[in-house]
Amino acid sequence: MTVTLPPITRGLDLTEDQTMIRDMVREFALAEVAPQAHDIDEEHRFPKDTWDKIVELGLTGICFPEELGGAGGDTLSYILAVEELSKVCGSTGLTLAAHVSLGTYPIYRWGGEKLCNEYVPRLIAGEYMGAYGLTEPGAGSDSGGTLTTALLDGDDYILNGRKCFITNANYSGVFVCTAVTDKSMGPKGISAFVVPRNIDGFSLEKGERKLGMRGSDWASLVFEDARIPKDHLLGPEGEGFRTFMQTLEGGRISIAALALGIAEGAFAECARYASEREAFGGTLSDQQAVQFKLADMATQIQCSKHLVYDAARLKDAGKSYGTEASMAKLHASEVAMKVTYDAIQILGGFGYSREYPVERMWRDAKLCTIGEGTSEVQRIIIGRSVLNNLPT
């Protein structure tokens, strides 16, 4: 089946470099990612060969400095790459987003010279995959309820606890994780750590079978008296909760781009189908009911695109972007759910079939309303921001 993509949206003022990156990733996505998307979903299989090609293409280092092996590009260029991959395969877009925004960026931002130089070049070069260990069986949206502990013992911290739903876990060589270093301090007693894979007392447990994003790897992390050097503390002790919340602000832009790409891919599929499917003496696209659905889809996708790109540009400009990232993530993820739902409706029985990609896109889109802060959490963040900035 031919994979189609919507036309390039006008009026978003991409630079020449950003346009080049977008077009390069679009070509790669169509040639290398799209042909495998159906099979990796059916087989619950992580496409390691595709990941290796993503590394070779330099997508893992787009937004990191050249002296660390990156491309010296900006956040928006990276976001464009996630968006283009996600148009054809949400799992692949998620893999890149988790590696860059969650597995690499915190070490670059807070790791200091030692940890940054030790791990970031390896993560960019693909020697390591990166993963982010925040969620626990009893601490999801309430990440302040972290129970994993880290006790200082001489030159090491001893970690005990478990993390779940950790994207990229089985293939990662290094993890960024939170653990409680002072139970009496609540969230202010949570610290962040860089955890190498090959330490005693650390193991992985197979992740549950998933509704969607089946080509994206995940697993649980288990710490049983696992020792890590105390110089692998990421930032000051007790600052882990703040560090992770700031990491999630950037990560939400990438999840918003993931959702945006999924919505665009589903829109392209159903628009093409409606234009070709003969019914009622013409094509489906001749029916006003279908035209109205397509109009609503296109409008909401365009709104999402502006929100996502705006948040990325604010981050690149060094301005506050947390609220805008939450707005982008909330809107784009819920639009992705609505667009994929309506795409299935337009395709009818074929949309319900596994032979067409829109049902996969619908299943993949659901993760975007949950990961890196549920829609409910985003509304809390946005609501607080609105109330704290009322005009006087």
Side-chain angles (χ1 to χ4, degrees), residues 33 78 83-84 110 112 128 130 147 212 218 235 347 356 387:
V33 181
Y78 153 61
E83 178 187 357
E84 291 300 325
W110 292 284
Y128 289 153
L147 296 178
W218 74 350
L347 268 71
Y356 282 75
L387 293 172

Side-chain angles (χ1 to χ4, degrees), residues 1 33 37 72 90 107 124 137 141-142 163 171 194 203 208 210 215 229 260 269 303 312 324-325 340 349 352 380:
M1 183 181 62
V33 181
I107 304 176
I124 291 172
S141 294
D142 180 19
K163 305 288 184 177
Y171 293 87
V194 177
S203 60
E208 296 81 355
K210 297 184 285 185
L260 171 61
E269 288 295 329
C303 291
E324 289 79 6
T340 53
Y352 199 67
I380 291 171

Side-chain angles (χ1 to χ4, degrees), residues 71-228:
D74 55 18
T75 303
L76 182 53
S77 296
Y78 153 61
I79 289 305
L80 290 165
V82 174
E83 178 187 357
E84 291 300 325
L85 293 172
S86 304
K87 287 178 181 179
V88 298
C89 181
S91 293
T92 303
L94 176 60
T95 297
L96 178 63
H99 173 82
V100 173
S101 294
L102 303 183
T104 307
Y105 178 78
I107 304 176
Y108 167 69
R109 175 67 176 80
W110 292 284
E113 185 176 354
K114 180 186 183 302
L115 292 176
C116 185
N117 289 336
E118 182 174 353
Y119 290 107
V120 173
R122 291 174 167 179
L123 287 160
I124 291 172
E127 180 180 343
Y128 289 153
M129 245 184 131
Y132 176 86
L134 176 62
T135 303
E136 299 185 0
S141 294
D142 180 19
S143 52
T146 296
L147 296 178
T148 298
T149 59
L151 300 179
L152 188 61
D153 181 34
D155 291 331
D156 298 324
Y157 280 95
I158 303 176
L159 271 65
N160 281 283
R162 65 187 298 118
K163 305 288 184 177
C164 60
F165 311 142
I166 308 305
T167 303
N168 297 343
N170 286 299
Y171 293 87
S172 290
V174 63
F175 303 82
V176 180
C177 298
T178 51
V180 177
T181 48
D182 187 342
K183 293 181 181 179
S184 68
M185 295 294 289
K188 293 184 178 179
I190 297 174
S191 300
F193 299 88
V194 177
V195 181
R197 183 189 184 99
N198 58 347
I199 58 171
D200 293 335
F202 171 70
S203 60
L204 297 170
E205 288 185 357
K206 185 177 180 180
E208 296 81 355
R209 290 176 71 84
K210 297 184 285 185
L211 170 72
M213 298 294 186
R214 294 174 177 175
S216 167
D217 173 69
W218 74 350
S220 293
L221 317 182
V222 182
F223 302 102
E224 298 174 305
D225 292 331
R227 285 184 172 270
I228 60 170

Side-chain angles (χ1 to χ4, degrees), residues 49-65:
D49 56 337
T50 300
W51 175 250
D52 290 341
K53 292 174 183 177
I54 286 173
V55 172
E56 290 175 11
L57 206 59
L59 304 189
T60 50
I62 289 176
C63 54
F64 297 106

